[in-house]
């Protein structure tokens, strides 16, 4: 049915629900693209590499490292910069600062995902509404026609009415799947950032529990946290 029709003909078949479905599909596509770009550019870049940079940095180079990390876009680099910025604070205070920062990042990473879920829920309902309106119109035309009702006529009318349901499902499937997958990805990023903060805090205190071999990381013998003045 769709193979021999143009886009304008397909859009015409959607009837009054054509424009609403087009609007929600454009919003869903824009949200998916923006969230994917945000995660690719900031979310999961250099989690282990960022800690290695911190691990292999001497005490005198911590401030230059902080300045470089503040200028980078990756969340891991910004986490390192925040950790170094407050290294003079006590460990419990650094943990509270990290918890607040992580909550802000979680909110940013999940931004727009609820709207995607809403689009995934309402688009099939919009398609169903279009189908019901189409069926009402089809039966109204049949009741006012004196020509005999043939199976071909019914099949064509039903096919046109069901087009809106198909369009609604086409919009809903990527919206719902994308929202869930992006939420899983975002939660993974936040969990990795939390692990980075925990290791960084221990490293500042002179500990590194994940160091397995003597030359796997720089030997730590002193507390790198700056004493509070």
């Amino acid at each position: 049915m769709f193979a021999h029709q143009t886009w304008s003909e397909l859009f015409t078949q959607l009837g009054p629900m054509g424009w609403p479905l087009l609007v929600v599909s454009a919003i869903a596509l824009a949200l998916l693209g923006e969230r994917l770009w945000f995660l690719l550019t900031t979310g999961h870049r250099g989690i282990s590499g960022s800690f290695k940079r911190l691990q292999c940095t001497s005490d005198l180079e911590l401030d230059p490292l902080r300045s470089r990390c503040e200028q980078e876009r990756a969340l891991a680099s910004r986490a390192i910069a925040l950790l170094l910025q407050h290294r003079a604070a006590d460990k419990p205070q650094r943990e509270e600062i990290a918890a607040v920062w992580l909550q802000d990042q979680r909110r940013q990473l999940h931004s727009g995902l609820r709207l995607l879920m809403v689009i995934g829920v309402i688009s099939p309902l919009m398609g169903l509404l279009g189908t019901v309106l189409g069926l009402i119109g089809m039966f109204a035309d049949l009741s006012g026609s004196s020509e005999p009702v043939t199976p071909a006529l019914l099949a064509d009318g039903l096919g046109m009415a069901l087009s809106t349901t198909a369009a609604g499902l086409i919009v809903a499937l990527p919206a719902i799947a994308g929202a869930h997958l992006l939420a899983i990805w975002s939660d993974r990023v936040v969990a990795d950032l939390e692990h980075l903060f925990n290791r960084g805090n221990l490293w500042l205190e002179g500990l590194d529990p994940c160091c397995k071999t003597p030359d796997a990381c720089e030997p730590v013998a002193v507390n790198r946290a700056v004493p509070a003045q």
Side-chain angles (χ1 to χ4, degrees):
M1 176 181 177
F2 299 120
H4 305 289
Q5 293 178 327
T6 62
W7 285 106
S8 60
E9 292 174 343
L10 290 173
F11 185 77
T12 303
Q13 284 190 3
L14 299 180
M17 302 307 298
W19 283 108
L21 285 172
L22 182 62
V23 170
V24 296
S25 63
I27 295 174
L29 185 61
L31 284 174
L32 285 172
E34 189 273 336
R35 289 290 87 192
L36 183 61
W37 175 255
F38 181 79
L39 282 168
L40 287 174
T41 55
T42 65
H44 201 64
R45 296 175 55 196
I47 296 293
S48 59
S50 295
F51 182 75
K52 190 66 177 178
R53 292 169 64 186
L54 179 64
Q55 200 175 32
C56 299
T57 301
S58 63
D59 296 346
L60 297 178
E61 296 175 343
L62 290 180
D63 287 329
L65 175 62
R66 169 193 163 188
S67 300
R68 291 194 301 271
C69 290
E70 286 176 343
Q71 299 174 0
E72 297 176 1
R73 183 176 172 82
L75 291 178
S77 299
R78 290 161 56 187
I80 292 296
L82 182 69
L83 192 64
L84 293 178
Q85 178 183 356
H86 298 282
R87 69 182 188 275
D90 295 334
K91 186 174 181 291
Q93 293 177 330
R94 290 198 304 269
E95 291 175 348
E96 292 180 4
I97 293 171
V100 173
W101 186 84
L102 285 172
Q103 186 64 30
D104 291 338
Q105 302 311 311
R106 181 182 290 106
R107 190 180 303 109
Q108 291 184 17
L109 289 169
H110 283 267
S111 176
L113 298 186
R114 286 192 176 183
L115 181 56
L116 272 176
M117 291 297 300
V118 171
I119 291 175
V121 171
I122 66 173
S123 54
L125 298 178
M126 294 169 63
L128 182 60
L129 176 60
T131 296
V132 172
L133 294 177
L135 290 175
I136 292 174
M138 183 190 71
F139 287 119
D141 293 339
L142 290 176
S143 64
S145 176
S146 58
E147 299 180 359
V149 178
T150 61
L153 182 61
L154 289 176
D156 187 60
L158 289 172
M160 294 178 61
L162 292 174
S163 297
T164 54
T165 299
L169 292 175
I170 290 173
V171 175
L173 288 175
I176 294 176
H180 282 290
L181 292 175
L182 290 172
I184 292 173
W185 190 353
S186 300
D187 290 338
R188 175 64 184 273
V189 170
V190 172
D192 287 342
L193 289 173
E194 185 177 4
H195 179 67
L196 178 62
F197 269 120
N198 292 334
R199 287 196 64 184
N201 265 325
L202 292 175
W203 184 84
L204 289 175
E205 296 297 322
L207 302 172
D208 187 6
C210 295
C211 184
K212 302 298 183 183
T213 59
D215 54 349
C217 58
E218 180 187 359
V220 181
V222 297
N223 189 331
R224 284 175 169 81
V226 178
Q229 301 297 329

